[in-house]
Amino acid sequence: MTRAALASYNMDPELVLLLRVSAGAITLLLVCYLRKYSLKIFSNLHLKTAAALSLYLIGFSYAFTGLETGIGVLIQFGVVQLVMFASSFHSDRQVPKNKSIGAIIAFTGLIYLLWPSGDFTLDMKSSVLMAIAGMAWGIYSILGKNAESAISATTASFLISIPICLIFILLLPNNTGFSWSNTGALLAICSGAITSGIGYALWYFILPKIPSTNAAVSQLSVPLISAAGGMIFMHELISLKFVLSCALVLGGIAITIWKPK
């Protein structure tokens, strides 16, 4: 939804960023209120997760103004894999071979699915921003393994991220080549409230229960789910390329989470 607001509706990335982070914070605050969750905003962990989340949201929002969707996703998920596997190597000193092999197979399937056909140009500035976003998301995911409360940690991260993103925007020169779109704004709000706010809270709930390598590779299924959603709701045709990609990605994930006896 964020990519659609930026690319399809030419929305200002600063506005999309603020709508997204604000909608996520408001939604999570509402959940905390309704479910009567205790909320401790400022802690050492929450400040770190907020910094990582802000860097991810900023990098993601600006990167997609100059990158094709497929290449952008490949850069993002490629860097996420590197960061999370590097963390596993650092903490465990030894990652089982099946996890490394599974990651390679799954990422190969993602490359096959998303690699653009024909010639394409790579915007270096946008590519670096997307790599930064991927690194930040990897760090955000690693920090999530230490979160005691998924809702509390995610809510605090989004609340602290609002002033961080606002300060960043105020320091940048204004762009004039973008336009307002009601649909684009709605997409940005939905992205912040549902896929970001609620989605990231669920991600933080799952993270402590699985190894970092499994978490890293499992994320490669997200583009497949997005593509499948387009086929279901937009009546797009199922292609042989998509089927083969599914086989590679899901097969790689299965190899990664498999526990040899």
Side-chain angles (χ1 to χ4, degrees):
M1 284 187 277
T2 304
R3 291 193 292 272
L6 291 165
S8 301
Y9 295 95
N10 199 36
M11 285 282 290
D12 186 283
E14 290 91 352
L15 182 57
V16 170
L17 173 61
L18 282 181
L19 288 173
R20 187 181 180 190
V21 70
S22 299
I26 292 171
T27 302
L28 289 167
L29 275 175
L30 184 60
V31 171
C32 287
Y33 174 75
L34 293 175
R35 301 294 297 177
K36 295 181 171 57
Y37 286 110
S38 60
L39 180 60
K40 180 182 179 182
I41 297 177
F42 294 104
S43 72
N44 187 42
L45 176 63
H46 293 168
L47 290 173
K48 290 178 180 178
T49 57
L53 176 64
S54 301
L55 191 58
Y56 164 72
L57 292 173
I58 291 168
F60 188 93
S61 296
Y62 285 91
F64 267 117
T65 61
L67 277 180
E68 293 183 18
T69 300
I71 291 297
V73 172
L74 285 177
I75 294 173
Q76 176 191 345
F77 281 94
V79 174
V80 169
Q81 301 301 298
L82 290 174
V83 170
M84 297 190 72
F85 266 81
S87 172
S88 293
F89 276 112
H90 178 72
S91 59
D92 300 337
R93 300 297 179 185
Q94 185 176 359
V95 175
K97 289 183 179 180
N98 69 295
K99 297 185 182 295
S100 299
I101 294 171
I104 292 171
I105 293 173
F107 195 63
T108 299
L110 193 65
I111 292 173
Y112 178 62
L113 175 66
L114 298 176
W115 195 263
S117 56
D119 297 330
F120 67 94
T121 57
L122 193 63
D123 185 281
M124 187 54 64
K125 179 182 176 181
S126 297
S127 299
V128 171
L129 286 171
M130 186 55 77
I132 292 173
M135 178 189 68
W137 180 257
I139 294 171
Y140 180 75
S141 297
I142 293 167
L143 292 171
K145 296 185 74 65
N146 300 318
E148 294 181 3
S149 169
I151 288 290
S152 178
T154 313
T155 304
S157 298
F158 271 85
L159 287 172
I160 299 172
S161 290
I162 292 176
I164 295 175
C165 293
L166 184 58
I167 292 171
F168 179 85
I169 289 171
L170 292 175
L171 293 176
L172 289 179
N174 291 327
N175 291 310
T176 58
F178 299 97
S179 60
W180 170 263
S181 166
N182 291 335
T183 304
L186 181 61
L187 286 171
I189 292 171
C190 290
S191 173
I194 302 171
T195 59
S196 297
I198 301 300
Y200 296 177
L202 290 173
W203 181 236
Y204 258 35
F205 176 76
I206 294 170
L207 276 169
K209 307 178 189 310
I210 58 176
S212 294
T213 47
N214 290 8
V217 179
S218 296
Q219 293 180 79
L220 297 179
S221 63
V222 174
L224 293 181
I225 296 172
S226 299
M231 294 171 188
I232 294 171
F233 297 107
M234 302 300 291
H235 306 292
E236 298 174 358
L237 295 176
I238 298 176
S239 64
L240 177 61
K241 183 178 184 179
F242 176 75
V243 173
L244 292 176
S245 298
C246 283
L248 286 169
V249 173
L250 297 179
I253 292 173
I255 293 172
T256 301
I257 64 178
W258 173 61
K259 294 181 179 180
K261 294 182 180 180

